[in-house]
Amino acid sequence: MRFLRRGHPLLKMAIFSLVAMVIGTVVSLWIDWFPVQASTAADDIDTLYDVLLIASVPVFVLVMAVAIYSVTAFKAKPGDMSDGAPIHGNTRLEVIWVTIPFIMVSAAAIYGWIVLDDIEAKQPNTMIVDVRGQQFAWDFTYPDEGKVKSNQLYLPVNRPVEFRVTTDDVLHDFWVPEFRLKTDAVPGLTTKFRATPSKTGTYNVVCAELCGIGHSTMRNTVRVLPEKDFDAWLAKQQGSEADGGAAAAGGDMTAAGRDLFTGDGGCTACHTLADAESVGALGPALDELAADAEKYGKQEGQSPEEYVKTAIVDPNAFLVPNFSEGVMPENFKETLSAEEIDTLVKYLLTVGGGDKG
Ligand code: CUA
């Protein structure tokens, strides 16, 4: 073992690589890669990632360390134009560097399959939620809970959920990072995943597939509630077809409108409105809406109220200059009740009154 002699370049390279591998692995495990764990699958998935880090970071760092060390230590001397020594294959080395990765990759695949099979297992008392993506918003239907529809995802804690994901237009991807699970929304298909929320709170719903100009705004939240709060929300939704809008919020039209704008309507992603503290820029700003509705309404032969209502339920009927067709969701006439739309119209004309408001 000639290279074990002190000061031999190969010994130095081995020590350099070993130190780099230890540092790389410690740093990769020390970094907190993930948000809070809010589903029963999160712990298993985080453990899986840790195992993958332990398996892959040392290999990556070893290869990089050997390459970087070799580039500096074994560089040709200035003026040395001779060829390097001819080296033929080394069967033993090749068998080793094929076999070890083969075993590692196979083991990771089997481990991943076991974890996936476990977290995807059918559970009793599963609630189905239909998730529909469109450019650039999500909406949610609870087919077994009176077909309640909402632009805001609510879930009860500790109850298994099966998401059935579809899309009205292009590819999207329904992702809740805190649940650690996602699935593509594919035109013509219904894709599914199961998750059991394990912690109450508000988490992110993200579109994880580039789907057009508004992709980065295609975000929403999921509110995981204690079961009785979820049931109360569901009951309110089932009742709100009859008495939604201002009545549901105790008659305070501005508060009710703001709730719709910031919550179930999901309007804040795309519209700027000071009263709702939103700064979206994908759709027209609404702080001067009263004046705009007067102006454009006159062009269209509509009252300001009619103009705003049309803009919500049939957004492509009239386009504000410099804004494109097909950006605003076209399903608000289905997801909001007539009373809710009226509330929203009154609210927007009130808070969008500029100086007068
Ligand atoms: Cu939808 Cu990105």
Side-chain angles (χ1 to χ4, degrees):
M1 289 274 151
R2 213 155 22 92
F3 69 86
L4 285 180
R5 223 176 49 221
R6 262 184 79 177
H8 193 284
L10 284 180
L11 181 64
K12 282 198 210 158
M13 183 169 79
I15 294 168
F16 175 73
S17 305
L18 203 65
V19 172
M21 283 161 73
V22 171
I23 294 173
T25 309
V26 169
V27 168
S28 72
L29 291 176
W30 173 69
I31 294 173
D32 192 10
W33 296 100
F34 297 111
V36 58
Q37 299 180 334
S39 86
T40 52
D43 197 33
D44 288 344
I45 291 174
D46 291 0
T47 306
L48 175 65
Y49 270 99
D50 283 343
V51 171
L52 291 181
L53 285 173
I54 292 169
S56 58
V57 170
V59 175
F60 174 77
V61 176
L62 173 68
V63 171
M64 288 299 130
V66 168
I68 291 166
Y69 186 87
S70 303
V71 165
T72 56
F74 304 121
K75 199 161 56 181
K77 302 276 178 301
D80 179 3
M81 300 299 283
S82 64
D83 290 337
I87 299 172
H88 293 281
N90 184 325
T91 308
R92 199 204 296 172
L93 209 52
E94 284 168 23
V95 168
I96 291 172
W97 79 42
V98 169
T99 309
I100 293 177
F102 176 76
I103 292 171
M104 287 174 70
V105 172
S106 305
I110 292 167
Y111 177 28
W113 182 75
I114 291 170
V115 171
L116 187 67
D117 198 51
D118 187 36
I119 61 183
E120 288 276 81
K122 268 211 167 87
Q123 312 258 15
N125 192 30
T126 296
M127 180 173 76
I128 293 168
V129 177
D130 292 327
V131 178
R132 188 171 61 151
Q134 57 175 320
Q135 291 170 315
F136 299 97
W138 299 106
D139 64 67
F140 308 94
T141 310
Y142 301 75
D144 298 335
E145 332 289 322
K147 291 207 168 57
V148 161
K149 268 192 167 194
S150 171
N151 284 36
Q152 172 76 52
L153 179 57
Y154 288 85
L155 297 173
V157 70
N158 295 332
R159 178 164 176 198
V161 183
E162 182 175 302
F163 296 102
R164 298 188 174 168
V165 183
T166 57
T167 166
D168 270 9
D169 38 47
V170 300
L171 282 172
H172 302 277
D173 189 299
F174 177 67
W175 183 30
V176 180
E178 291 82 356
F179 292 174
R180 305 290 190 276
L181 291 160
K182 61 157 90 154
T183 191
D184 271 359
V186 183
L189 291 182
T190 300
T191 52
K192 296 175 189 176
F193 73 78
R194 298 193 179 95
T196 306
S198 59
K199 198 171 161 49
T200 56
T202 301
Y203 310 112
N204 298 295
V205 171
V206 180
C207 176
E209 182 77 52
L210 185 60
C211 56
I213 188 168
H215 162 67
S216 62
T217 66
M218 195 166 163
R219 286 169 169 258
N220 203 327
T221 50
V222 46
R223 295 181 197 173
V224 177
L225 305 173
E227 199 181 340
K228 66 174 189 333
D229 294 357
F230 175 78
D231 291 343
W233 172 78
L234 213 51
K236 194 179 141 207
Q237 292 304 109
Q238 284 162 340
S240 76
E241 258 73 83
D243 85 324
D252 183 344
M253 186 274 300
T254 305
R258 191 184 300 122
D259 274 357
L260 285 167
F261 193 84
T262 57
D264 292 1
C267 317
T268 51
C270 299
H271 294 283
T272 292
L273 181 64
D275 184 73
E277 296 175 0
S278 69
V279 293
L282 209 61
L286 303 176
D287 283 320
E288 307 287 331
L289 182 66
D292 288 347
E294 185 88 41
K295 183 173 81 180
Y296 297 130
K298 206 168 270 173
Q299 281 179 29
E300 299 288 294
Q302 293 170 322
S303 70
E305 286 77 16
E306 284 168 344
Y307 168 81
V308 176
K309 187 177 172 191
T310 307
I312 295 170
V313 299
D314 190 8
N316 297 324
F318 174 81
L319 294 167
V320 173
N322 302 324
F323 290 93
S324 313
E325 185 170 347
V327 174
M328 173 142 161
E330 292 169 56
N331 66 332
F332 286 116
K333 55 188 167 295
E334 297 153 34
T335 57
L336 299 176
S337 69
E339 287 78 5
E340 286 173 329
I341 291 170
D342 279 349
T343 303
L344 207 46
V345 169
K346 286 193 193 111
Y347 165 73
L348 288 171
L349 284 171
T350 306
V351 301
D355 293 338
K356 285 166 277 145

